[in-house]
């Protein structure tokens, strides 16, 4: 890893050191490639409800960190575009 590009230096300075920062660093370290995360060619119709449930569980386990960052990005977008959400 090139000097100056570690997860610690890339994290915003607003996040205090401690448990929150460590959790975010662990999430960043386990992000799967975004190309495989959004590759629509890998999508197919499940044969039955059991297979659908298995695939959902495996997908969430494998791409857990990716989903966390998508969720955080959506929350940030909602707060920036509609600050009144903080009041509600």
């Amino acid at each position: 890893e090139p000097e100056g590009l570690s997860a610690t230096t890339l994290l915003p300075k607003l996040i205090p050191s401690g448990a929150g920062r460590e959790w975010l660093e662990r999430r960043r370290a386990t992000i799967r490639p975004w190309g495989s995360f959004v590759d629509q060619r890998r999508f197919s119709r499940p044969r039955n409800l059991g297979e659908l449930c298995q695939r959902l569980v495996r997908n969430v386990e494998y791409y857990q960190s990716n989903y966390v960052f998508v969720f955080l990005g959506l929350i940030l977008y909602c707060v920036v575009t509609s600050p009144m959400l903080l009041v509600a």
Side-chain angles (χ1 to χ4, degrees), residues 26-39:
R26 277 186 272 130
R27 289 285 134 219
R28 287 184 76 137
T30 58
I31 289 178
R32 304 293 181 174
W34 289 100
S36 67
F37 180 66
V38 296
D39 187 8

